[in-house]
């Protein structure tokens, strides 16, 4: 999704205002990261700078529609969503003791647990402070609901750690809470600051968010590290059961009897990933993600053609990153 061709296509579909507003988002993110002293600024700034493709703020901009009248509100919403996303990454790395994030040392690895927790807290609090500048309750409520879902999903994941028999239904519920709800909030916030359809566009975001998580879990198995920024089988080493393993256990008796606590090295995790891939389930999960994206596109509301084309392009990009 980050290729020059895709960016050019988004500009053509969504309008020239998209890169202009995204530049304002980047500027505000950098400004906020530097607003609480040199030490926190270093780590908050590094976290934001490593933010990847900015998919969530991009969804805010596109859900707001072509040439929104309140550009300041749209930018605030996009900034707030990315700050929440960044905060959750830092906090997740603290809980997991993760050494790498997108190929770079995590804040917890570089600076320790206390400073990493403070960095995540700063990013989280600044998100709501940003939305509060707009003095409207609806956007704050939308982001608050998503943040509560994130916390609930994290608690569910911690409760399920090392539990090999996690059900498909519980896995999907966890993905919905931990990932899809923030995608939903991004689209809802854009619609609230733009031309409407918050419920319908929120559902669009929720569906592609769930597809995004399914594909992320496929990539954790397939790798390689050069592409994902982390070692294959990181979820296995964390004791996190994902859909590829759930389905593979139904096809391979050795995986059905796997003791996750015995997966303690990168080599062991890679071997389990190879066994999962050999069952053919990665393409099954990818097909499910494609179906979710198709449903999301099919049920888009009656938005302008340019806005529809841009949203569909982003939805397709969620799946294309696996290709």
């Amino acid at each position: 999704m980050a290729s020059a061709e895709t960016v050019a296509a988004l500009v053509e579909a969504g309008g020239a205002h998209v890169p202009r507003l995204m530049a304002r988002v980047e500027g505000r993110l950098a400004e906020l990261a530097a607003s609480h002293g040199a030490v926190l600024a270093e780590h908050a700034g590094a976290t934001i700078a490593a933010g990847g493709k900015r998919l969530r703020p991009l969804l805010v901009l596109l859900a707001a529609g072509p040439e929104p009248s309140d550009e300041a509100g749209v930018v605030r919403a996009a900034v707030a969503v990315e700050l929440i996303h960044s905060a959750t990454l830092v906090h997740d790395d603290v809980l997991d003791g993760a050494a790498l994030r997108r190929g770079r040392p995590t804040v917890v690895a570089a600076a320790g647990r206390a400073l990493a927790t403070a960095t995540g807290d700063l990013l989280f609090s600044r998100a709501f402070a940003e939305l509060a500048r707009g003095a409207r309750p609806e956007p704050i409520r939308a982001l608050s609901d998503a943040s509560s879902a994130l916390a609930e999903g994290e608690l569910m994941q911690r409760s399920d750690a090392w539990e090999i028999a996690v059900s498909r239904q519980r896995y999907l519920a966890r993905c919905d809470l931990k990932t899809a709800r923030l995608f939903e909030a991004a689209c809802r916030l854009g619609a609230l600051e733009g031309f409407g359809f918050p419920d319908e566009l929120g559902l669009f975001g929720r569906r592609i968010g769930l597809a995004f998580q399914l594909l992320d879990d496929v990539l954790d198995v397939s790798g390689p590290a050069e592409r994902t920024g982390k070692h294959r089988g990181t979820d296995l080493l964390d004791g996190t059961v994902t859909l590829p393993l759930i389905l593979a256990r139904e096809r391979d008796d050795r995986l059905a009897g796997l003791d996750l606590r015995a997966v303690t090295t990168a080599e062991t995790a890679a071997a389990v990933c190879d066994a999962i891939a050999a069952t053919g389930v990665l393409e099954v999960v990818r097909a499910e993600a494609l179906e979710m994206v198709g449903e999301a596109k099919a049920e888009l509301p009656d938005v302008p053609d340019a806005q529809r084309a841009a949203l569909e392009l982003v939805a397709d990009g969620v799946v294309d990153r696996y290709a």
Side-chain angles (χ1 to χ4, degrees):
M1 284 189 62
S3 69
E5 293 82 3
T6 301
V7 172
L10 275 172
V11 172
E12 182 178 352
H17 68 291
V18 173
R20 176 171 55 80
L21 292 185
M22 189 59 81
R24 289 178 58 182
V25 171
E26 294 290 350
R28 182 59 177 162
L29 286 169
E31 180 183 342
L32 290 172
S35 63
H36 280 68
V39 176
L40 279 177
E42 175 188 353
H43 298 295
T47 298
I48 290 172
K53 301 177 179 64
R54 299 286 193 246
L55 178 55
R56 294 155 191 83
L58 179 60
L59 282 171
V60 174
L61 303 187
L62 297 179
E67 301 294 343
S69 56
D70 183 11
E71 289 190 352
V74 174
V75 170
R76 278 195 300 270
V79 167
V81 166
E82 186 65 10
L83 287 171
I84 291 291
H85 174 56
S86 297
T88 62
L89 296 183
V90 176
H91 284 158
D92 281 353
D93 290 340
V94 170
L95 292 169
D96 296 337
L100 292 176
R101 170 71 67 177
R102 299 191 181 104
R104 304 182 184 185
T106 61
V107 179
V108 68
R113 187 181 184 92
L115 194 53
T117 300
T119 300
D121 290 348
L122 168 65
L123 295 169
F124 191 84
S125 64
R126 292 301 314 197
F128 286 96
E130 192 71 3
L131 279 188
R133 293 171 63 232
R136 293 177 58 210
E138 295 89 350
I140 295 173
R141 185 178 300 115
L143 196 61
S144 176
D145 288 346
S147 299
S148 296
L150 284 166
E152 184 180 349
E154 183 61 41
L155 288 172
M156 182 182 290
Q157 181 164 311
R158 296 295 147 187
S159 174
D160 291 346
W162 315 110
E163 177 51 65
I164 192 68
V166 169
S167 70
R168 172 193 177 90
Q169 291 74 20
R170 186 168 174 88
Y171 162 83
L172 291 172
R174 186 182 77 214
C175 293
D176 178 62
L177 292 166
K178 279 205 66 179
T179 304
R181 296 291 186 88
L182 191 57
F183 278 73
E184 176 186 21
C187 290
R188 182 177 291 275
L189 284 167
L192 288 170
E193 299 292 353
F195 294 103
F197 299 110
D199 292 338
E200 294 87 347
L201 289 175
L203 181 58
F204 168 84
R206 193 166 176 175
R207 282 173 166 157
I208 67 168
L210 190 55
F212 180 94
Q213 185 58 60
L214 263 62
L215 268 298
D216 207 52
D217 293 341
V218 167
L219 289 170
D220 186 74
V221 174
S222 63
E226 294 78 13
R227 181 180 183 185
T228 63
K230 59 182 182 179
H231 297 297
R232 288 176 69 206
T234 295
D235 288 332
L236 295 168
L237 292 167
D238 291 341
T240 301
V241 175
T242 61
L243 189 57
L245 178 55
I246 292 170
L247 297 181
R249 290 182 67 246
E250 299 172 358
R251 300 185 177 195
D252 186 328
D253 290 341
R254 294 170 301 170
L255 291 172
L258 178 69
D259 179 2
L260 272 183
R261 293 187 184 277
V263 182
T264 58
T265 67
E267 293 75 18
T268 307
V272 175
C273 287
D274 288 341
I276 293 171
T279 66
V281 298
L282 298 187
E283 287 307 314
V284 174
V285 178
R286 183 174 184 268
E288 289 196 25
L290 278 167
E291 184 176 352
M292 292 174 186
V293 167
E295 290 174 353
K297 292 164 58 178
E299 296 190 25
L300 274 169
D302 188 20
V303 297
D305 289 344
Q307 184 180 9
R308 175 183 295 275
L311 288 168
E312 289 182 346
L313 186 61
V314 172
D316 290 337
V318 165
V319 179
D320 288 344
R321 72 199 179 103
Y322 176 81

